[in-house]
Amino acid sequence: MTDAIGLQTLEQALNALTTRVSSLREAKSAYPADPRSTLDAALAELDTARELLDASVRELRKAPKRSGERESGSQRELKLLRQVFRTFPIPVVVLDASGVVRRISAETSRMLGSPAGYLIGRSFPLFVDVSRRAAFRSHLTAVQQGGQTATLQTRLAHQGRAHTVQLAVTRLTMPGEPQEMIAVMILPLEAQVAGPPPGPADRSDATLVMAAARRQELLARMTRLLLDEESLRQPVTVTRASRLLAAEQADWVIADVVRDGMPRRACVLGPSDKPVTQLVRLAEGMNPLTAPAIAHVLTGGSGVVHEMLEDDGLLGDVPAGPPLLRVMGAASMLIVPIGGEDGVLGALTLVRLRDREPFSLADLGLMEEIGAHLGLALRARRSFQTRSRAADALRTSVVPRSLPDIPGFEAAAIYNAGSSPVGAEFYDVFRAGEGWGFALGGAAGKGEEAASVSAMVRNGLRVLSVWETDPGEVMRKLNQALTAQDNGMFVMAVTGFVKARKIRLASAGHHPAALLRPDGGVRFTAGGGVPLGIAPEAEMFTEELALTSGQTLVFYSDGLVASRNELGESYGETRLADVLARCVAQSPAEIVKTVEEDRHAFSGGRVWDEIVILALRVV
């Protein structure tokens, strides 16, 4: 069929071709074990389709209608021929010299899962498998220059559909086109469909609503993940977010974070069902700034989406190798900034392979929102870390890391901060003149201000004890300093100076200490007094104890005796005395542990205020 034919003859030949193609499809389904004969016949029909297409083009080359003239018979035939092209039973695509789609048949759109006209203006080689893309471009050039038909077996992929096909590429001269065109006829040999055609192929209200719901669900899951306490405490925020995106949105996820002013690769995740470990390691070692697309997002601060990748160098080249995107087999990519008020904090790169639906503008909008949320989470974590370090520093200023050895005594302490991030209770054991000193107490209130006042009192006790031998005098001078500041804070404290086996105590509004004797008896010291910082002439209660071997002095904070059970009953000093009476043979470390365990059981594990217990035993 080499000469131009009449429209009626063309229509008859087209109808016959449609019937034969339908029969071949039925034969392929009925006899899957014998594909060879069906394939040979299909290739023959592909040649017939090419000849029919040539004949159609020659008909289309007839002179078009001039402006102002009534539609002639030839013009009516031209419209009919265009309709014939759209309904051609074999997928056909017409390309320009650069490989861009100019016309596409309805059968091609159906096969690729796109609405009519959606693929016009796209580069057709982007649908071709990466491994055969260069070969297709070479065939395309050879056909343009030599005019001979070329055939190529490859895979086409789009919208989650992958087809193994035989392509026939031939040159055309189209009416009204200044340059020669290329016709590509497609013979599907095998198709793999990942699911119902997604994306632009289905724009029903129900589908759009479901897509919006899925995006909202992903955003909600991401928000819950970023607000999790572990994400604030540990450096796992970016990795956890990347894992969720790799599971839900992409085949490859690359996260880059700006640290010390420079972008650094934080995470690379590849397809879990493919052997990509080596490629992941290569990508992890690449500098983000060598990827032009990532560098553009980091400097520009706005996201980009490449629905179909034309430049496989956008993510740079693997070391001494080809472009990273080519090795990945990438078909679609989007990159969004990790937002920050003071600039971009990083970038998220998502890549999809050829057997998945390409990224869309809706995906870009969703990912930009997630990038903004991730930026908020990173700032929150940095702020949390700063405050945590400050809290640790304050806690260190009120609670010693370890207790020194006091000659002739054993000492042990326990501290339970409970729900308080910054403690206001303190305890200490320190050198005091020719002997030793100890102290326990806390500022009224919670938070950083209370902790700083407690730290000042603790350090003041240490400093004043260098010159003063009387703990009461030390407390009076601290009281004068606190009242002079007039900050409204007051401190309950008890301190004691140890010399040989004698202990001189001074109390400023603190609970009395419990003295445990070797016979199991328990008595409480005087305690009491006026808290520091209330009045310039505060009253201190002082007492001197002469201890004997085996006696243990136990100090405790208000948080211990004020602990309550589910009935609202206080732990109290009576219960404390009963517990201590059972600790006669125990060491100070065992005593403080026993008391805390009993309090924990009494209150059901609840802690409202900080708990401090300090025990000193004469050996």
Side-chain angles (χ1 to χ4, degrees):
M1 190 178 296
T2 58
D3 299 325
I5 60 176
L7 180 60
Q8 183 176 3
T9 303
L10 178 59
E11 288 179 335
Q12 292 174 351
L14 182 60
N15 290 334
L17 176 62
T18 302
T19 302
R20 293 195 301 274
V21 170
S22 178
S23 298
L24 287 175
R25 285 176 176 161
E26 292 176 0
K28 178 185 175 184
S29 300
Y31 306 103
D34 184 25
R36 183 65 184 180
S37 59
T38 305
L39 177 60
D40 291 341
L43 291 174
E45 293 295 355
L46 190 61
D47 289 335
T48 302
R50 178 182 60 80
E51 294 177 1
L52 281 174
L53 190 60
D54 285 339
S56 300
V57 170
R58 284 188 286 273
E59 291 293 328
L60 288 171
R61 292 176 63 187
K62 293 179 179 179
K65 171 184 174 183
R66 292 193 299 270
S67 176
E69 293 183 355
R70 296 184 61 185
E71 187 176 60
S72 65
S74 61
Q75 289 299 309
R76 288 193 297 273
E77 289 184 355
L78 180 60
K79 289 183 177 180
L80 288 174
L81 285 170
R82 288 173 178 165
Q83 182 64 27
V84 166
F85 173 79
R86 285 194 292 267
T87 59
F88 215 61
I90 298 227
V92 180
V93 181
V94 177
L95 313 177
D96 63 15
S98 62
V100 173
V101 176
R102 293 306 178 192
R103 293 188 177 92
I104 186 169
S105 68
E107 181 66 15
T108 310
S109 296
R110 184 199 64 77
M111 183 189 76
L112 295 179
S114 295
Y118 177 73
L119 298 179
I120 292 177
R122 314 280 180 172
S123 176
F124 185 78
L126 296 179
F127 304 113
V128 177
D129 188 74
V130 175
S131 64
R132 306 305 304 275
R133 194 174 293 172
F136 176 80
R137 292 186 186 277
S138 296
H139 284 302
L140 196 65
T141 302
V143 169
Q144 289 173 335
Q145 295 177 351
Q148 300 297 318
T149 299
T151 60
L152 173 72
Q153 183 172 321
T154 185
R155 291 176 76 247
L156 296 181
H158 182 59
Q159 297 287 7
R161 299 171 174 230
H163 303 263
T164 301
V165 300
Q166 187 82 17
L167 301 180
V169 186
T170 189
R171 190 170 64 185
L172 295 174
T173 301
M174 299 290 290
E177 296 288 349
Q179 298 178 343
E180 289 186 334
M181 310 294 279
I182 301 295
V184 180
M185 285 160 284
I186 307 167
L187 176 63
L189 304 178
E190 181 184 356
Q192 296 175 349
V193 182
D202 189 348
R203 298 180 181 272
S204 66
D205 291 342
T207 300
L208 293 175
V209 169
M210 287 300 297
R214 285 192 294 270
R215 289 194 291 269
Q216 189 64 34
E217 180 185 3
L218 177 62
L219 188 59
R221 291 176 61 188
M222 181 65 71
T223 301
R224 288 194 297 270
L225 181 150
L226 296 177
L227 292 177
D228 184 78
E229 185 175 353
E230 183 181 2
S231 295
L232 291 174
R233 293 186 178 275
Q234 303 295 330
V236 297
T237 307
V238 173
T239 301
R240 296 179 73 189
S242 298
R243 286 175 180 166
L244 177 57
L245 295 176
E248 299 290 336
Q249 286 289 301
D251 296 294
W252 285 86
V253 177
I254 299 175
D256 298 301
V257 177
V258 176
R259 298 193 187 102
D260 301 325
M262 289 296 295
R264 305 177 189 277
R265 190 129 294 173
C267 179
V268 177
L269 298 174
S272 58
D273 59 343
K274 292 182 173 61
V276 294
T277 303
Q278 183 62 29
L279 184 56
V280 168
R281 297 292 176 264
L282 290 173
E284 287 175 341
M286 295 174 65
N287 183 348
L289 293 180
T290 61
I294 295 177
H296 173 76
V297 171
L298 288 173
T299 55
S302 59
V304 295
V305 60
H306 296 271
E307 184 179 357
M308 284 181 267
L309 286 164
E310 298 188 34
D311 181 2
D312 54 12
L314 291 175
L315 291 188
D317 299 340
V318 298
L324 178 60
L325 286 173
R326 183 186 303 170
V327 182
M328 287 179 172
S332 181
M333 178 181 71
L334 67 78
I335 307 175
V336 296
I338 298 175
E341 294 180 354
D342 300 326
V344 177
L345 302 179
L348 282 174
T349 303
L350 277 66
V351 174
R352 285 180 181 170
L353 304 183
R354 300 183 56 76
D355 55 353
R356 292 188 62 172
E357 175 189 359
F359 288 114
S360 64
L361 288 176
D363 295 318
L364 177 63
L366 170 66
M367 292 309 305
E368 286 181 329
E369 186 71 17
I370 287 177
H373 284 202
L374 185 54
L376 289 172
L378 288 179
R379 289 200 304 276
R381 181 177 177 275
R382 292 175 183 176
S383 175
F384 179 86
Q385 286 181 316
T386 301
R387 294 182 64 86
S388 179
R389 285 192 291 268
D392 289 342
L394 281 173
R395 188 174 295 114
T396 302
S397 70
V398 297
V399 178
R401 297 185 183 278
S402 61
L403 295 178
D405 293 330
I406 303 176
F409 285 83
E410 286 184 79
I414 193 169
Y415 172 82
N416 188 338
S419 59
S420 177
V422 180
E425 293 286 342
F426 70 90
Y427 71 92
D428 199 8
V429 175
F430 49 88
R431 279 278 187 182
E434 297 179 358
W436 288 85
F438 61 88
L440 185 144
K446 296 182 180 181
E448 296 175 2
E449 184 179 7
S452 62
V453 171
S454 292
M456 183 190 71
V457 171
R458 178 197 177 200
N459 293 327
L461 287 170
R462 279 177 169 260
V463 171
L464 292 173
S465 67
V466 174
W467 296 283
E468 298 290 344
T469 58
D470 181 10
E473 186 62 26
V474 170
M475 297 278 263
R476 275 188 285 273
K477 289 183 176 180
L478 276 174
N479 179 67
Q480 292 173 0
L482 279 177
T483 53
Q485 290 186 7
D486 194 25
N487 58 8
M489 301 290 291
F490 62 92
V491 178
M492 295 177 290
V494 60
T495 187
F497 287 176
V498 179
K499 191 172 183 179
R501 291 190 175 183
K502 290 185 178 181
I503 297 179
R504 185 167 181 81
L505 297 175
S507 174
H510 202 273
H511 289 282
L515 178 62
L516 173 62
R517 297 189 299 266
D519 62 1
V522 177
R523 81 170 182 87
F524 289 90
T525 62
V530 178
L532 304 175
I534 292 181
E537 300 297 330
E539 181 180 357
M540 308 296 164
F541 277 18
T542 60
E543 183 176 359
E544 185 171 298
L545 302 173
L547 303 182
T548 60
S549 179
Q551 289 186 326
T552 303
L553 201 58
V554 179
F555 300 88
Y556 50 91
S557 66
D558 184 67
L560 173 67
V561 293
S563 294
R564 296 182 179 276
N565 61 13
E566 59 184 9
L567 300 178
E569 300 168 334
S570 298
Y571 186 82
E573 291 172 345
T574 301
R575 185 181 179 99
L576 173 62
D578 292 341
V579 175
L580 290 176
R582 303 194 297 269
C583 299
V584 173
Q586 294 182 357
S587 67
E590 292 171 329
I591 290 174
V592 297
K593 181 180 179 182
T594 299
V595 173
E596 170 58 10
E597 287 177 347
D598 184 74
R599 183 215 61 82
H600 186 277
F602 173 81
S603 63
R606 295 181 294 273
V607 181
W608 286 273
D609 293 322
E610 298 162 87
I611 296 170
V612 180
I613 308 171
L614 171 66
L616 296 172
R617 181 177 183 174
V618 181
V619 295

